[in-house]
Amino acid sequence: MIDVSHQISAVRRTVGTRVLDAGEARVMTISQVYDTDVEDMWDAVTNAERLPRWFLPVSGELRVGGKYQLEGNAGGTVERCDPPKSFAATWEMHGGVSWIEVRLTPEGDGTRFELEHVAHVDDHWDQFGPGAVGIGWDMALTALVRHLAAGREYAVDPAEAMAWMGSPEGVEFVTKAGEAWYEAHVAGGEDEAVARAQADRCLAAYTAPPEA
């Protein structure tokens, strides 16, 4: 399906901190360069008809102040939009609120897609660390690779993607992505033992067999 090692190494990941009005937050940033121009990339990440081909179906109003909802996942409010360079939105799920910002910049012959996810430090973070959301974003960036490489009409098959997650290649991908987030966490200043324990719990959660 993909070259796991190549895809993991093609992605940049950083973990930092930020102080918000409500307290301390963690900043996770993930980025990758894609072989397309900024306009095409902007369409891929903001067009409600195109998003389901690599990410998730979305409903609502994709405009500043508009509410959106990703099927089976997060929803929120679009806070800023500067086409074709960037947009920012709240990321609301399971009663919690975090924030995302997507930035697109030309780089070489392609475009760098960069996503910043800001989340408060809470029990979920203390248990699983950055991999809890970072691995999910890694999977999304991988699906975007496939979509852009195959053409704008190509759609990643959700059933195929779920089956791949349980395959040896899928487990390898999750394991290597989790390790990459562990390394980014330590590079960002976290104690190695704390980061290791969080990463191990996160990987166990991702690779646990489905309940009967």
Side-chain angles (χ1 to χ4, degrees):
M1 185 176 180
I2 63 166
D3 183 331
V4 171
S5 295
H6 179 269
Q7 175 58 25
I8 294 298
S9 64
V11 173
R12 291 181 185 171
R13 305 166 190 81
T14 63
V15 179
T17 61
R18 185 175 298 173
V19 177
L20 304 178
D21 291 340
E24 187 181 15
R26 292 290 185 267
V27 183
M28 293 154 284
T29 307
I30 184 169
S31 73
Q32 183 170 358
V33 175
Y34 292 86
D35 186 20
T36 191
D37 59 35
V38 171
E39 288 74 18
D40 182 52
M41 178 66 80
W42 179 260
D43 186 68
V45 301
T46 63
N47 185 331
E49 294 183 359
R50 196 169 174 188
L51 273 168
R53 296 173 194 161
W54 66 274
F55 193 41
L56 290 168
V58 61
S59 58
E61 297 181 287
L62 301 184
R63 59 172 180 78
V64 175
K67 301 284 187 179
Y68 74 93
Q69 179 63 53
L70 293 163
E71 187 175 296
N73 205 286
T77 302
V78 179
E79 296 188 321
R80 301 194 310 277
C81 187
D82 180 20
K85 298 177 181 178
S86 67
F87 69 85
T90 62
W91 187 262
E92 303 174 30
M93 192 173 181
H94 303 315
V97 180
S98 54
W99 298 265
I100 62 167
E101 181 173 353
V102 169
R103 296 181 286 265
L104 308 180
T105 54
E107 186 167 325
D109 294 329
T111 300
R112 180 170 292 278
F113 170 96
E114 182 176 71
L115 183 141
E116 180 182 272
H117 194 154
V118 180
H120 287 294
V121 176
D122 56 14
D123 291 342
H124 194 259
W125 176 276
D126 287 339
Q127 185 173 8
F128 298 115
V133 296
I135 292 173
W137 287 123
D138 260 290
M139 291 188 287
L141 265 62
T142 302
L144 184 55
V145 168
R146 296 180 63 203
H147 169 68
L148 292 172
R152 59 180 295 126
E153 299 304 321
Y154 173 79
V156 176
D157 182 83
E160 177 188 320
M162 285 299 295
W164 178 77
M165 280 293 297
S167 71
E169 188 179 67
V171 172
E172 179 191 4
F173 178 87
V174 169
T175 301
K176 288 186 174 180
E179 191 65 20
W181 281 107
Y182 158 75
E183 292 171 0
H185 201 187
V186 173
E190 184 58 87
D191 176 81
E192 288 188 22
V194 171
R196 180 77 271 160
Q198 291 175 335
D200 289 347
R201 287 192 292 267
C202 183
L203 178 60
Y206 263 99
T207 57
E211 296 182 2

